[in-house]
Amino acid sequence: MKVFLIAATLVLSLSCSTHSNNSKLAPNSREHQISAYLWQQTSGEYRALTYQAYNIAREKIERELEDKHNRKRAVVFDIDETILDNSFGGAREIQEGLSWKESHFADWVKLKQAVAIPGALDFVKFLQEKNIEIFYVTNRQMNMLQDTYDNLVAQGFPVKKENVMPMSSG
């Protein structure tokens, strides 16, 4: 129901608004993103594809674990749109008539409201049960790492602070 309300609000607010201020968007300039966010948030196909991807990954890990060697194993995840869904933040920008900016994304990250991609949490917990080290990388800025860590914890991901890292120190 929450997704439907956000989607309906987006469609209605964009269809009835115009913006002349340069900091705001021209009407429908992000129309392609509206469709993408709606698809990501409401499509059964999207959910099926993400579950399929994580189920295939699980099968591959299970096969790898059949080889009883003593090597330490690890999986490295990109955070955004791999395990955390930021489409609600993007939809929020569109609803407010904003173009994408790092500062707008930082405001979204501070809210810690990104949700787990379907299938991601179960897969990561499976890895933890199998004693596979889990690393999370992101191109988010250093000043966003605590909020990112808190968001992962809030979504139930087994995470250690030292295993959440930016791709660069910029």
Side-chain angles (χ1 to χ4, degrees), residues 13-21 24-28 97:
S13 66
L14 288 171
S15 65
C16 298
S17 65
T18 59
H19 303 287
S20 57
N21 181 333
K24 303 284 186 171
L25 295 172
N28 300 320

Side-chain angles (χ1 to χ4, degrees), residues 8 26 38 93 165:
L38 287 172
E93 285 177 359
M165 34 196 126

Side-chain angles (χ1 to χ4, degrees), residues 37-136:
Y37 292 145
L38 287 172
W39 182 78
Q40 187 170 347
Q41 294 173 8
T42 64
S43 170
E45 179 184 23
Y46 171 77
R47 292 182 60 78
L49 289 170
T50 60
Y51 278 115
Q52 179 183 42
Y54 280 112
N55 287 337
I56 290 169
R58 182 183 180 125
E59 288 175 9
K60 290 184 179 288
I61 294 289
E62 287 172 338
R63 251 184 261 134
E64 167 64 23
L65 292 173
E66 289 172 2
D67 181 0
K68 301 292 185 198
H69 61 70
N70 290 326
R71 289 180 286 185
K72 183 88 172 140
R73 294 175 174 91
V75 173
V76 179
F77 289 94
D78 175 59
I79 293 173
D80 296 308
E81 310 323 320
T82 304
I83 61 170
L84 286 181
D85 175 358
N86 294 296
S87 66
F88 294 97
R92 183 173 152 254
E93 285 177 359
I94 293 170
Q95 186 175 21
E96 294 175 7
L98 303 171
S99 58
W100 191 92
K101 283 187 186 177
E102 186 74 28
S103 62
H104 298 153
F105 184 70
D107 292 341
W108 162 251
V109 171
K110 286 177 190 167
L111 295 173
K112 305 170 201 162
Q113 293 178 349
V115 296
I117 296 288
L121 184 56
D122 290 338
F123 180 67
V124 172
K125 286 182 176 181
F126 160 77
L127 295 173
Q128 182 185 38
E129 290 168 9
K130 299 297 183 181
N131 295 315
I132 296 173
E133 192 77 24
I134 303 160
F135 294 93
Y136 305 86

Side-chain angles (χ1 to χ4, degrees), residues 1 17 33 41 140:
M1 187 64 164
S17 65
Q33 289 177 314
Q41 294 173 8
R140 295 177 178 192

